[in-house]
């Protein structure tokens, strides 16, 4: 629709015709009877800028070009990003699998190994089968006759060596009449005769020479015995060494036989080849674990959930990422991961613990992957607010992106709450494209406050919330509605219903020349309309069903609006809709409660007297006025000072207030209404109370556009409707807001019948003329406003204040107090 404003010269503009109050879509122009005839359109319309940025961010492979997607809620960001990334990822190769294995040299530093897609699971299964084979093969091998015979020979050899030494010593002792006795305290030597040990008294009775000879023999034999006993540990050590060598030899045979196949299967990976060599050596060195495990497992109940010895976990494989290959030999594509709960652990992974004997223990098999592991080589989509609000999650994400590697940590380590020995897994190289989704304010705050953000998220995808309302866009929207109906299995929509939805989309965008791109609320509206169509037994959704869905949605949320109108109707809140009052005007404001907004009138009053040129904003004085509202009051003060009584100082004291306002007030949309009230009080010209006013004003006296114009008009219309429409009532709006009008049907109908009016104004003069019925007046060639006009009266009052103030000064009375007195 055209956007020109109606501002005829020589007087205030006439009210807008009904056709200008709402741009209606003609169902016959759509070219179909129901949406069942239409092919579905893409789920996203009018987002070429954002989709181009997303495509660029996903395509470029340089570091730091991650994407931050932002826009109004409900614009389809999540759906669009999911569709685009999944389509792109399907055509990309699957990334590496990643697994953790034991580091036999440093158990606290598990090794990370990357393998081609599908290989990690195959390797883990092969290692599990290897351990299972060795659990059976090694005990069987050591129970075999060959091993038992060879070990028996070693034991027999050691035993014979000991016995031969003792036998030789025994023979020499007997030849010297000395007996070698075994006692609980060890070996003892004693003289003997005839095979019997000589008692001490008998030995003492022997000749001294014989006793000395026997003692000498015993001493020599004692030394030989000590030498033999000293040789026993060496003999035992030799026996054990031979047994170890035999065990290693036998274990080497078993392990080599078992590992031959797995080494051949994975010979193409240098990392796995090196790891398998370490496994080979460790298996041979710790073969006794399999023997002990077999004994322990044999003692466990057959029904035990896990009869395996926990020590054999050292040969396990912890697959943290497995990208399986597709059945036809192709890969399944790159991963696209959506992490709904991005805690630090869920992003970078965690190390779990299990309780054993009252202590918490862990190993490399308890390393759990995070979203970055699963998305590695693909795409990770996160909600910005959730990442930022989770402790340590944002810093952990930035650290991984900056370093190009995933390092597993925990909040406890970050805070140094624990100093226990834990695992330090190898970092996993990271190649991922991160897409953050959030509101625009989050993006701009991060750009300004986080120095790392601009370096790591260089691509901005800005989703628009409005598109031009033209024939091509309307046709696309009709197909989009058809697609949503088909996807959600809704009834087809008639052309009239689609036209009604199009009109509502323009209202959501607050612009008759635009359409809202908020697909989420659109889908909700279609679902509700389908419900009401079904409730009425209709097979096709008609325009009345859309109307009912809209009305019911408002009804569920408008309790406070109804209460506000009730308070006005009962006289609790004072609003006049007829008569004329000096220094009083009906302003309009918008209240937003969740997703529902409504307008309501507010009485604005002004009082004036002589003073020192100060306009008091009571809302600001009591700290109820926001900065933008205060700015509007200062602007109208500047307008007064620059327009009236130019040859005299402004000698005015004025007060402005929103009557019965008990909450905060912000925005400058009431500044024109405040100015009208002030001009009325100064010129002592009554303002017609059947009008309400909205619009901001600048220092030149031009009325500027504001937001929420439809809700404001409808709020005053509802008040007038309750009291009865007289045909005089109406609203003054900025001429620049005409293109934003998408009013309710009942408001348009009342305007068409001449019972309610919408007046576009471009200047303060036009507005004050409409409100008072008195000409605003222009400066003549003599530099003065014509007498009897509003401007003339205002200037005369200000000149009178200045003259009175000068008289006070001449009389030496000084400045009077700036307290409120009797107003004009």
């Amino acid at each position: 629709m055209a956007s020109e404003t109606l501002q005829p010269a020589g007087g205030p503009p006439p009210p807008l015709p009904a056709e200008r109050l709402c741009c209606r879509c003609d169902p016959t122009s759509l070219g179909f009877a129901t949406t069942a005839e239409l092919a579905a359109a893409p789920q996203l319309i009018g987002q070429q800028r954002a989709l181009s940025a997303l495509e660029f961010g996903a395509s470029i492979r340089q570091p730091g070009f991650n994407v931050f997607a932002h826009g109004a809620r409900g614009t389809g960001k999540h759906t669009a990003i999911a569709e685009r990334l999944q389509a792109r990822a399907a055509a990309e190769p699957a990334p590496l699998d990643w697994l953790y294995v034991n580091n036999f040299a440093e158990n606290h530093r598990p090794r990370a190994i990357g393998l081609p897609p599908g290989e990690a699971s195959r390797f883990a299964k092969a290692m599990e089968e290897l351990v299972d084979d060795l659990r059976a093969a090694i005990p069987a091998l050591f129970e075999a006759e060959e091993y038992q015979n060879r070990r028996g020979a070693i034991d027999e050899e050691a035993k014979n060596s000991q016995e031969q030494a003792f036998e030789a010593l025994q023979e020499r002792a007997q030849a010297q009449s000395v007996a070698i006795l075994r006692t609980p305290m060890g070996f003892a030597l004693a003289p003997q005769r005839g095979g019997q040990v000589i008692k001490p008294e008998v030995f003492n009775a022997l000749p001294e020479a014989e006793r000395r000879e026997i003692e000498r023999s015993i001493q020599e034999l004692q030394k030989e015995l000590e030498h033999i006993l000293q040789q026993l540990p060496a003999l035992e050590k030799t026996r054990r060494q031979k047994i170890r060598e035999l065990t290693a030899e036998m274990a080497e045979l078993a392990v080599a036989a078992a590992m031959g196949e797995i080494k051949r299967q994975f010979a193409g990976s240098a990392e796995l080849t090196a790891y398998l060599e370490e496994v080979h050596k460790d298996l041979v060195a710790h073969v006794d674990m399999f023997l002990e495990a077999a004994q322990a497992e044999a003692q466990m109940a057959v029904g035990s959930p896990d009869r395996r010895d926990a020590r054999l976990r050292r040969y396990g494989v912890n697959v943290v990422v497995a990208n399986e290959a597709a059945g036809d030999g192709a890969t399944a594509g790159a991963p696209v991961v959506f992490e709904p709960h991005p805690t630090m652990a869920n992003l970078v992974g965690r190390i779990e613990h299990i309780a054993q004997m009252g202590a918490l223990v862990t190993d490399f098999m308890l390393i759990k992957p995070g979203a970055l592991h699963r998305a590695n080589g693909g795409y990770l989509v996160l909600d910005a607010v959730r990442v930022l609000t989770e402790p340590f999650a944002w810093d952990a994400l930035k650290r991984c992106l900056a370093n190009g590697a995933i390092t597993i940590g925990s909040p406890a380590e970050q805070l140094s709450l624990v100093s226990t020995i834990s695992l330090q897994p190898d970092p996993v190289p990271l190649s991922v494209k991160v897409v953050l989704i959030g509101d625009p304010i989050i993006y701009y705050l991060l750009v300004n406050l986080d120095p790392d953000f601009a370096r790591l998220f260089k691509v901005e995808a800005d989703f628009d919330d409005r598109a031009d309302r033209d024939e091509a866009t309307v046709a696309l929207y009709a197909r989009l509605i058809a697609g949503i109906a088909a996807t959600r299995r809704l009834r087809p929509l008639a052309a009239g219903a689609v036209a009604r939805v199009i009109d509502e989309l323009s209202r959501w965008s607050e612009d008759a020349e635009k359409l809202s791109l908020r697909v989420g609320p659109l889908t909700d509206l279609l679902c509700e309309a389908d419900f009401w169509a079904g409730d009425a037994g209709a097979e096709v959704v008609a325009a009345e069903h859309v109307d009912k869905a809209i009305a019911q949605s408002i009804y569920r949320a408008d309790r406070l609006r109804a209460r506000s109108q009730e308070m006005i109707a009962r006289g609790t809140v004072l609003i006049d809709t007829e008569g004329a009052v000096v220094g009083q005007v009906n302003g309009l404001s918008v209240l937003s409660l969740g997703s529902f907004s409504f307008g309501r009138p507010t009485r604005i009053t002004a009082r004036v007297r002589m003073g020192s040129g100060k306009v008091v904003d009571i809302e600001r004085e009591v700290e109820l006025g926001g900065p933008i509202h205060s700015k509007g009051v200062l602007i109208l003060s500047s307008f007064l000072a620059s327009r009236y009584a130019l040859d005299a100082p402004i000698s005015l004291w004025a007060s402005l207030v929103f009557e019965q306002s008990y909450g905060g007030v912000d925005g400058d949309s009431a500044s024109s209404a405040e100015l009208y009230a002030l001009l009325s009080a100064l010129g002592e010209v009554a303002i017609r109370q059947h009008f309400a006013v909205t619009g901001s004003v600048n220092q030149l006296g031009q009325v500027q556009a504001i937001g929420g114009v439809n809700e404001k008009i409808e709020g005053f219309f509802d008040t007038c409707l309750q009291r009865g429409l007289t045909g005089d009532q109406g609203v003054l709006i900025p001429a620049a807001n005409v293109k934003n009008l998408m009013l309710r049907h009942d408001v348009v109908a009342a305007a068409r019948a001449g019972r309610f009016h919408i007046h576009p104004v471009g200047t303060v003069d036009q507005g004050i003329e409409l409100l008072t019925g008195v000409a605003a007046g222009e400066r003549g060639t003599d530099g003065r406003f014509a007498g009897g006009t509003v401007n003339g009266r205002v200037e005369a009052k200000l000149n009178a204040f200045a003259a009175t103030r000068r008289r006070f000064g001449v009389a030496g009375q000084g400045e009077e107090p700036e307290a409120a007195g009797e107003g004009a």
Side-chain angles (χ1 to χ4, degrees):
M1 66 183 284
S3 61
E4 71 274 6
T5 57
L6 299 177
Q7 299 183 29
L16 291 170
E19 293 73 22
R20 301 291 302 279
L21 304 183
C22 186
C23 180
R24 299 297 181 198
C25 178
D26 183 4
T28 60
S29 67
L30 298 177
F32 59 87
T34 71
T35 55
E37 305 171 14
L38 301 178
Q43 287 289 312
L44 219 57
I45 295 175
Q47 301 291 4
Q48 289 77 12
R49 178 184 290 103
L51 295 180
S52 174
L54 182 62
E55 185 68 22
F56 167 74
S59 301
I60 189 169
R61 292 303 175 187
Q62 295 300 319
F65 284 86
N66 297 292
V67 181
F68 193 107
H70 64 81
R73 296 186 180 183
T75 51
K77 299 186 295 294
H78 290 80
T79 301
I81 290 170
E83 290 179 351
R84 290 299 192 280
L85 293 184
Q86 287 169 351
R88 183 178 184 84
E92 296 179 352
L96 295 177
D97 290 351
W98 285 94
L99 53 84
Y100 276 105
V101 294
N102 187 31
N103 186 336
F104 298 103
E106 297 179 276
N107 289 334
H108 69 288
R109 298 183 64 88
R111 294 172 55 184
I113 298 177
L115 297 175
E119 290 295 288
S121 297
R122 193 165 70 91
F123 179 69
K125 185 176 181 181
M127 285 296 296
E128 184 178 0
E129 292 175 352
L130 170 66
V131 174
D132 286 341
D133 291 344
L134 291 176
R135 285 173 58 234
I138 289 177
L141 181 64
F142 283 84
E143 292 173 1
E145 183 177 355
E146 178 185 359
Y147 174 77
Q148 296 297 332
N149 289 339
R150 294 180 63 180
R151 173 158 183 168
I154 294 172
D155 293 339
E156 187 67 25
E157 180 183 359
K159 181 180 179 181
N160 291 338
S161 296
Q162 294 179 15
E163 291 179 350
Q164 288 174 3
F166 276 106
E167 286 176 359
L169 180 64
Q170 187 73 30
E171 290 176 358
R172 287 195 298 276
Q174 288 180 356
Q176 298 177 24
S177 299
V178 177
I180 300 177
L181 306 176
R182 291 180 179 270
T183 69
M185 302 298 294
F187 291 94
L189 280 72
Q192 65 176 358
R193 287 284 177 89
Q196 298 294 325
V197 176
I198 300 176
K199 295 181 178 180
E201 57 271 17
V202 177
F203 177 77
N204 293 330
L206 293 176
E208 182 178 353
E210 187 176 354
R211 289 201 311 271
R212 289 180 178 176
E213 181 63 24
I214 293 174
E215 289 174 350
R216 185 185 59 78
S217 299
I218 290 174
Q219 290 177 355
E220 291 177 355
L221 292 171
Q222 182 72 35
K223 292 180 180 179
E224 291 185 25
L225 177 61
E226 290 176 357
H227 178 73
I228 292 173
L229 292 176
Q230 290 174 354
Q231 293 298 316
L232 291 180
L235 292 174
E236 179 61 21
K237 182 176 180 181
T238 301
R239 184 188 73 85
R240 290 197 302 269
Q241 180 61 32
K242 290 182 178 180
I243 292 176
R244 280 196 294 269
E245 292 174 356
L246 173 62
T247 300
E249 179 185 345
M250 302 301 290
E252 178 66 29
L253 294 175
V255 171
M259 293 197 65
E261 179 61 26
I262 191 173
K263 287 182 177 180
R264 286 190 294 272
Q265 288 181 19
F266 299 96
S269 171
E271 286 187 281
L272 285 187
T273 299
Y275 169 71
L276 289 174
E277 287 299 326
E278 295 179 10
V279 171
H280 190 135
K281 295 177 182 178
D282 194 79
L283 284 169
V284 173
H286 296 87
V287 69
D288 55 313
M289 285 195 306
F290 288 86
L291 301 176
E292 295 170 4
Q295 295 175 0
E297 291 169 8
Q299 296 173 1
M300 291 183 183
V302 177
S304 298
D306 189 359
R307 300 178 63 197
R308 294 188 177 186
D309 194 302
R311 291 177 296 176
L312 300 182
R313 287 167 61 93
R314 65 193 285 116
Y315 305 113
V317 176
N318 183 3
V319 179
V320 292
V321 178
N323 298 296
E324 302 297 339
D328 58 358
T331 57
V336 180
V337 177
F338 297 83
E339 177 52 61
H341 188 203
T343 63
M344 179 180 179
N346 288 347
L347 283 177
V348 302
R350 64 190 184 278
I351 302 172
E352 295 184 343
H353 296 74
I354 55 176
Q356 286 187 0
M357 304 295 290
L360 293 176
V361 297
T362 188
D363 62 19
F364 70 96
M365 294 296 288
L366 295 176
I367 298 174
K368 303 301 178 183
L372 286 170
H373 292 93
R374 299 193 303 274
N376 200 4
Y379 306 90
L380 175 61
V381 183
L382 301 170
D383 184 272
V385 173
R386 293 179 181 175
V387 175
L388 292 168
T389 53
E390 289 292 342
F392 304 104
W394 177 241
D395 286 337
L397 176 63
K398 291 192 299 180
R399 185 164 52 251
C400 291
L401 292 177
N403 297 336
I406 310 170
T407 302
I408 297 177
S410 69
E413 294 176 357
Q414 295 288 325
L415 295 172
S416 299
L417 295 178
V418 293
S419 58
T420 57
I421 297 176
S422 186
L423 300 181
Q424 297 178 10
D426 280 352
V428 173
L430 178 63
S431 175
V432 68
K433 190 69 66 174
V434 177
V435 179
L436 288 180
I437 303 177
D439 294 333
I441 185 63
I442 300 298
Y443 175 79
Y444 297 122
L445 285 174
L446 287 172
V447 168
N448 291 322
L449 301 179
D450 190 337
D452 299 324
F453 178 76
R455 181 168 55 89
L456 297 175
F457 290 86
K458 299 180 179 180
V459 182
E460 175 188 4
D462 187 357
F463 282 77
D464 202 350
D465 61 347
R466 301 192 306 175
D468 291 336
R469 180 174 176 172
D470 51 32
E471 290 185 6
T473 306
V474 170
L476 271 177
Y477 247 110
R479 292 175 53 202
L480 173 62
I481 292 170
I484 294 173
T487 302
R488 293 297 185 104
R489 298 183 179 179
L490 307 178
R491 294 169 179 79
L493 280 79
V498 174
R500 181 66 187 89
V501 171
I502 295 295
D503 293 344
E504 189 65 15
L505 291 173
S506 283
R507 181 178 171 91
W508 289 353
S509 70
E510 297 187 3
D511 195 326
E513 300 173 358
K514 300 288 183 178
L515 291 174
S516 171
L517 294 177
R518 297 171 61 205
V519 181
L522 169 62
T523 303
D524 295 340
L525 174 60
L526 297 179
C527 291
E528 290 189 42
D530 177 78
F531 171 82
W532 293 116
D535 188 62
E539 295 184 357
V540 175
V541 178
E544 57 264 27
H545 302 134
V546 177
D547 282 330
K548 187 170 184 179
I550 295 170
Q552 287 295 314
S553 176
I554 294 173
Y555 175 72
R556 293 192 296 268
D558 77 340
R559 181 182 66 84
L560 292 179
R561 182 183 70 168
R563 181 67 57 84
S564 174
Q565 290 294 337
E566 177 187 353
M567 294 175 71
I568 294 173
R570 298 177 65 184
T572 304
V573 175
L574 302 179
I575 297 292
D576 291 335
T577 56
E578 56 186 6
V581 181
V582 173
Q584 175 179 304
V585 68
N586 293 321
L588 295 171
S589 60
V590 173
L591 273 70
S592 296
L593 302 171
S595 60
F596 178 63
S597 299
F598 64 91
R600 68 172 185 179
T602 301
R603 175 177 289 179
I604 299 174
T605 60
R607 303 291 282 172
V608 298
R609 59 157 289 166
M610 182 185 65
S612 59
K614 183 175 183 181
V615 177
V616 176
D617 174 14
I618 294 179
E619 307 296 329
R620 181 179 62 182
E621 294 295 323
V622 297
E623 298 183 353
L624 285 179
I628 298 177
H629 176 260
S630 299
K631 174 186 175 183
V633 174
L634 293 175
I635 288 174
L636 69 87
S637 301
S638 175
F639 170 77
L640 286 175
S642 62
R643 185 169 196 181
Y644 302 106
L646 302 179
D647 54 355
I650 290 293
S651 301
L652 166 71
W653 183 94
S655 65
L656 293 166
V657 68
F658 282 67
E659 303 289 358
Q660 294 182 288
S661 172
Y662 308 108
V665 175
D666 201 7
D668 62 351
S669 65
S671 60
S672 65
E674 291 173 308
L675 180 55
Y676 294 141
L678 194 55
L679 294 177
S680 170
L682 284 169
E684 300 181 13
V685 183
I687 291 178
R688 300 165 178 172
Q689 297 302 296
H690 55 254
F691 284 120
V693 178
T694 186
S696 68
V697 67
N698 62 22
Q699 294 187 102
L700 303 177
Q702 298 170 325
V703 179
Q704 302 171 136
I706 43 81
V709 64
N710 295 296
E711 290 82 0
K712 291 175 179 178
I713 293 172
E714 291 164 358
F716 188 65
F717 174 82
D718 291 338
T719 299
C720 295
L721 186 64
Q722 285 186 108
R723 296 179 174 179
L725 296 176
T726 64
D728 296 324
Q729 295 143 336
V731 177
L732 277 64
I733 66 169
N737 278 121
V738 173
K739 60 181 175 294
N740 302 113
L741 294 178
M742 286 296 297
L743 294 170
R744 291 188 328 230
H745 292 275
D746 55 343
V747 181
V748 176
R752 181 174 287 110
R755 302 173 65 203
F756 195 78
H757 310 283
I758 311 299
H759 295 270
V761 296
T763 65
V764 171
D765 287 343
Q766 290 180 343
I768 198 65
E769 242 179 89
L770 273 169
L771 290 173
T772 63
V774 178
E778 297 181 359
R779 288 191 182 276
T781 56
D782 59 354
R784 298 182 179 278
F785 291 106
T789 63
V790 175
N791 289 331
R793 293 184 181 188
V794 170
E795 189 164 66
K797 175 67 73 172
L798 291 175
N799 284 328
F801 284 162
T804 303
R805 187 179 178 191
R806 280 195 296 270
R807 288 197 300 271
F808 272 104
V810 171
Q813 300 297 319
E815 293 292 344
E816 72 284 355
E818 294 183 4
E822 292 298 326

